[in-house]
Amino acid sequence: MKHLLLIGLLAATAHIGLHAQTTTNATQNEWTTITNGNLWIDSEGNDVQAHGAGFLKVGDTWYMIGEDRSSSWHPDVNMYSSKDLVNWKFERKIIENKVTHPDLGSKRMIERPKLMYCAKTQQYVVWCHWESSNYAASEAGVFYSNTVNGPYTYHWGGRPLGVKSRDCNVFVDNDGTAYFISTIEENQHLGLFRLSDNYLSAVEYTELFKWKSREAPAIVRVGDTYYMLSSACTGWDPNPCMLSYSKSLTEGWSELKQVGNHIAYDTQAASILTIKGTKQTTHLYVGDRWQDPRLPESKTIIFPISFTSDSCLFDYTRQFDINYTTGEWRPTSTSDRYIDKRQWRVLDCSSAENRQADYAAHYAIDGDIKTMWQTETPKELIEGMRTRDWRRVERMAKSQHRIVVDMGKVNTIKGFLCTPRTDGISLGLIRNYAFFVSEDGKNWEAVSKSHWMPYWTEIDFAPCQARYFMLTSNERRGVSVAEIDVF
Ligand code: DGJ
């Protein structure tokens, strides 16, 4: 029995290790690996549920709070702690339906809770979106606690300074002045609310980005410049992330400029973290990959970003190593993980790649994520859309795209990674797919199949022997693939 338990424990550790390998007690030489795409698992083996997350660093510990979307439309607010942003300990539900406030869980729900420490009162303060089920209340909520991990006490809920307020965040400036920033007046503008010295109420507000309908704002200060990332209002669906910057919080914000691809790599901004090391300062973008594929499976995505005087380098990094002592980061080396592709060749593929030499199928296995295989948009689809012949369009959903690859020899494989195009456009993103393997190129077995391929994420399947693989998809508008890797 003991033996079995030990095996179970080892298996559980291996599972966690797969998605979140890490080293702790960081010193100059120690690196933590952050891997994006999968649900995080806490130290008790449960899913980490902290969406729309807010962060506070106390000593060497990060505290993260966020929406628990596991079972309820009315999320509790969970708190987790971590020293490396990978190994998370569940602290507690710091705000709980029914318990913290009688309306929570029925008449009221919380979104995007954000955490601050007020040095003046030595209190921890949470501001959040405090909403009714149909989003008509448009209010903010304030909670406080004398200890970081709560539980938190309800202080106030309402429209700050009488202004209708929804999606939100907080920002504490270098001098300790705190701000609540939210999407105001039916999602039309952003409101920047300066808070009182005790952080418990709003005392003044400035309207920003008038009529621009921005939400999910996240502000960071780098030197004497403030940078803000925000999204458009498209519910839980992703849209482009936009950057704006200014030397003052209340005026002079630059025009909004898109950073990253058309769907912000399937994320929406939640926070920006600053890692100040002995050698450099690294900024980490934290975004929500909502509905992946359903709300409870939403993921938290982290990757390094950097700022220049008038821009932000916002490139998705699926996996990277970070050194919390020096502040440095590097893409994780994957040279030992994936099967060598030098002997691979494309045996077959759908659609007219040859007529589009720049997008030929071999670009999906050439080891360069800047090149891609892209199928031609079917003429029948274009025609169907033009003539509004929806039955014809519907028929196209049944047309199948495929790529068949010969790996040159039989390998034992247990998963694949499909890297989406990296040219900033999201057209051709594969969601529904099937992955087949074969030893002889004649008898095929589907080892993985789903209507939902998570964005740029490794997909595991039971280990098998294969010399050939085939990736198929029924994406109606065609598919684009930068790279396929197998491990
Ligand atoms: C997008 C927001 O950013 C989320 O926090 C949430 O309010 C959804 N809209 C609700 O549709």
Side-chain angles (χ1 to χ4, degrees), residues 67 111-112 129 135 167 215-216 231 234-236 268 290:
E67 303 159 25
E111 288 186 357
R112 296 188 177 266
H129 182 185
Y135 289 87
D167 244 41
E215 68 176 9
S231 79
T234 54
W236 307 109
Q268 188 184 32
W290 297 113

Side-chain angles (χ1 to χ4, degrees), residues 9-22 35 38-46 86-88:
L9 193 67
L10 286 174
T13 319
H15 172 72
I16 293 166
L18 184 69
H19 300 309
Q21 307 107 358
T22 184
T35 306
N38 297 104
L39 267 175
W40 294 353
I41 307 295
D42 72 11
S43 52
E44 288 163 30
N46 300 316
V86 170
N87 293 289
W88 291 101

